[in-house]
Amino acid sequence: MSRIKVLVAAFLGTLAYVFVSVGFGPEGFWASQQLDEQKQIISANLQHIQQVNENLTLEQKGLKVDPDVIAAYAKKLGYIYPDEKLIRLKGISSPTDFVPETGTPITIGKINFVPEWLCKLSGIFIFCCFMTIFAMQELRKKLQVKNAERFNYYENPQTAI
């Protein structure tokens, strides 16, 4: 087999490895696209958490300074002034427990990609396939030459004597 065929097979195997690795490998386009999607999810959640933080900071400042805000929160929690009277009505539920919004936790999924060993294995597989194809072509040419010599031998009666 000629060197050029071995080099062509090696080039095609390397090219297959590069395409699989760049497209679907651990640092390829597919993995980076998944990371970008996760980055968008995280940044959206971060903005929501920052909004919640701003609201809680404003509420904290109100609780430190404004007595009306303190009184409103105390009533939500069930406290009353010493001179106030409460009337309970049947059929109306008591005030619900006050729970400030704290945000929601997010879980980030695993990044899917083709492992590096599989990328390399695909390159080796393509190399072996093309080496097999080139070897079969060479074998076919040798068989054609043998068949041509055999047919020429039987077709030429002048060379038979």
Side-chain angles (χ1 to χ4, degrees), residues 8 13 42 57 73 155:
V8 166
I42 289 172
T57 304
Y73 272 99
E155 288 179 2

Side-chain angles (χ1 to χ4, degrees), residues 116-157:
E116 186 66 25
W117 65 269
L118 198 57
C119 297
K120 290 177 182 176
L121 190 65
S122 69
I124 292 170
F125 177 73
I126 296 296
F127 170 76
C128 291
C129 284
F130 276 97
M131 286 299 290
T132 304
I133 289 170
F134 292 147
M136 292 173 85
Q137 284 179 344
E138 201 169 300
L139 183 63
R140 184 175 54 98
K141 285 181 184 177
K142 285 182 183 179
L143 287 175
Q144 284 177 348
V145 168
K146 272 188 178 181
N147 286 340
E149 287 176 359
R150 189 173 49 179
F151 286 130
N152 284 341
Y153 180 74
Y154 291 120
E155 288 179 2
N156 271 338

Side-chain angles (χ1 to χ4, degrees), residues 47-57 101-103:
Q47 288 175 353
H48 176 69
I49 289 173
Q50 286 174 342
Q51 183 67 34
V52 168
N53 185 27
E54 289 174 10
N55 292 341
L56 289 174
T57 304
E101 184 182 5
T102 58

